Amino acid sequence: MTHAAITGWGKCMPPAVLSNADLATFLDTDDEWITTRTGIRERRVSHVPALELAYVASARALACAGLAAGELDLIVYGSCSNDEQIPNSASGLQFRLGATAAAAMDVNTACTSFLYSLSTATAMIRTGVVRNALVVGVEVIAPFMDWANRNVSVLFGDGCAAVALQACDSAEGVLGEKLGCFADARQTLRVRGTGLTYANGTVTYGDTLWDFDGQEIFKRAVLGMSQASADVLAKCGYVIADVDLVVPHQANLRIIEFVAKRARAPMDKVYVTVHRYGNMSAATVPVALVDALEEGRVTPHSLILTPAFGGGLTYCSHLIRWGERTTPLRTTDIDLPPCERTALEMVREFMARKVTPGRSTPGLLAPRFPESA
Ligand code: UT7
């Protein structure tokens, strides 16, 4: 049987750091509330579009695998913050990398987008459709964040990581997964202003309005991540004691602790990054995986569990068998352009771009068209 080994990995984190103290300069919040309720201390704000983060992370993942871009058969771009809706982002990445032989598709399941993308690429490798694939998890949320809303703006951050997958004969890569969706709760996390429902209104970054029921999302997240983890372990014939490392989606430290407790996984087996990056949606799990590798927390043949949830409300849990190699074959000099501004300066610019005072829901029931059309 053919499997899909993870042979390359690379992350690209924007350098500008936004601290809890920075947020408190324009929001009625403080470091104590944010750290005790969420575990988050700081997050990143990107000075470049998502595609640029994806390009650098992908170049690093390909170098790590010793793969040339021309050898790729497939790119799956997992994100809910695409720079543009049409054309898709994966085609932009194919072009930027020069991966001319690769099929290119986007997957959007919000925070679980990387993991659903991993399932998609793995399935295509297992069934012989492709042999070499690149899977990206990227999010640049800062430009459409409703920065004045303290319920959400303290939670999220920007970031990106990618992995290279290659067909192999040994039982490596994703051993199994459970995917699901609590669609009855899809209204608990909605960003109004980001889809084509709102097109031909004001063409600008944002005027976004976040509908967000944190407590309901919290409950569903714990339920979905716990059930999916139990399901995938049973399906693959393992118990939690067999798992070497849990790399969960990182939205809130308290959610992670609840999930670990329900799964009976001790916290020293759980890899946590939420304090330094916040919730980077689709980028969260792959960035944590790369950090865990760099810190030596992933050892040869480790069994890794990755429970996650996101808008939709999608949820999933994957069981991954790592291969022999935990260090890159090669590295690359490809990097981001320098960042000239502080994170706080960029956030203040995003806030200044908002155009509609009072923010009614734009164009939902009565789409607006330009008068000249
Ligand atoms: O990947 C999907 C993304 N979604 C999530 O990750 C959401 C999951 N949910 C959560 O992480 C938590 O529910 C939150 C962190 C969003 C909120 O924590 P909570 O313990 O559920 O707090 P709460 O919503 O019950 O709010 C408690 C209080 C409220 O004040 P009152 O009504 O008790 O006076 C809020 O207005 O805290 C207030 N509050 C804040 N205070 C200071 C809410 N946000 C803030 C803030 N700073 N940033």
Side-chain angles (χ1 to χ4, degrees):
M1 183 183 165
T2 305
H3 299 270
I6 300 177
T7 58
W9 52 91
K11 71 172 195 260
C12 178
M13 292 303 300
V17 174
L18 188 73
S19 68
N20 291 348
D22 288 333
L23 286 164
T25 63
F26 62 89
L27 273 181
D28 180 15
T29 190
D30 54 66
D31 179 58
E32 212 232 320
W33 191 95
I34 302 171
T35 48
T36 53
R37 298 285 179 133
T38 72
I40 301 168
R41 295 186 181 278
E42 56 188 42
R43 71 287 292 146
R44 303 294 174 93
V45 174
S46 182
H47 64 299
V48 295
L51 204 49
E52 198 58 25
L53 297 182
Y55 167 61
V56 176
S58 298
R60 290 174 178 166
L62 290 176
C64 176
L67 267 179
E71 294 177 277
L72 283 177
D73 307 309
L74 174 69
I75 296 172
V76 191
Y77 187 104
S79 182
C80 63
S81 57
N82 299 76
D83 301 326
E84 290 176 310
Q85 184 97 0
I86 303 165
N88 75 350
S89 298
S91 61
L93 185 57
Q94 195 243 45
F95 184 74
R96 194 84 169 81
L97 289 168
T100 48
M105 65 188 286
D106 291 359
V107 168
N108 173 8
T109 55
C111 300
T112 58
S113 299
F114 169 80
L115 291 160
Y116 274 60
S117 299
L118 188 63
S119 288
T120 305
T122 297
M124 286 204 203
I125 289 176
R126 281 195 191 138
T127 50
V129 179
V130 301
R131 287 193 66 78
N132 299 329
L134 182 73
V135 178
V136 182
V138 58
E139 229 64 89
V140 173
I141 299 169
F144 68 92
M145 175 48 67
D146 184 354
W147 286 103
N149 180 351
R150 69 179 184 175
N151 292 321
V152 285
S153 58
V154 305
L155 302 177
F156 292 91
D158 300 340
C160 179
V163 296
L165 302 185
Q166 291 183 259
C168 76
D169 294 327
S170 53
E172 285 181 35
V174 175
L175 302 181
E177 67 268 75
K178 169 68 187 174
L179 311 177
C181 181
F182 296 125
D184 63 304
R186 67 194 292 274
Q187 77 289 348
T188 58
L189 176 43
R190 162 171 279 139
V191 185
R192 298 183 191 270
T194 55
L196 294 179
T197 308
Y198 309 92
N200 292 327
T202 310
V203 179
T204 178
Y205 267 133
D207 219 12
T208 52
L209 188 64
W210 288 59
D211 296 346
F212 189 81
D213 181 349
Q215 291 191 353
E216 185 61 23
I217 300 169
F218 193 116
K219 279 185 245 161
R220 299 287 190 128
V222 173
L223 184 67
M225 291 165 88
S226 307
Q227 278 184 356
S229 295
D231 284 358
V232 71
L233 283 167
K235 183 167 134 184
C236 296
Y238 289 100
V239 293
I240 193 70
D242 297 320
V243 172
D244 298 299
L245 192 65
V246 182
V247 182
H249 178 55
Q250 321 254 335
N252 185 324
L253 182 59
R254 290 188 293 137
I255 294 177
I256 295 172
E257 287 170 345
F258 269 112
V259 172
K261 196 171 168 194
R262 280 200 178 192
R264 298 187 199 287
M267 278 306 284
D268 61 4
K269 273 195 186 181
V270 181
Y271 191 72
V272 176
T273 61
V274 73
H275 50 295
R276 56 180 180 261
Y277 302 136
N279 179 357
M280 298 179 289
S281 182
T284 301
V285 168
V287 168
L289 201 52
V290 175
D291 279 2
L293 278 151
E294 289 173 355
E295 286 175 21
R297 295 288 303 272
V298 177
T299 50
H301 311 294
S302 285
L303 190 61
I304 302 170
L305 186 71
T306 61
F309 76 98
L313 294 176
T314 59
Y315 61 86
C316 57
S317 192
H318 289 62
L319 202 54
I320 297 169
R321 174 69 73 190
W322 204 259
E324 176 67 29
R325 187 165 53 80
T326 56
T327 52
L329 283 179
R330 291 205 303 264
T331 55
T332 171
D333 292 338
I334 290 173
D335 209 342
L336 293 177
C339 177
E340 313 286 353
R341 289 166 299 162
T342 67
L344 189 53
E345 283 167 351
M346 287 189 275
V347 167
R348 288 193 183 280
E349 266 177 45
F350 292 133
M351 291 175 83
R353 281 186 197 179
K354 278 196 167 288
V355 286
T356 313
R359 297 200 307 267
S360 59
T361 303
L364 235 199
L365 295 174
R368 286 169 288 169
F369 296 96
E371 290 189 354
S372 56

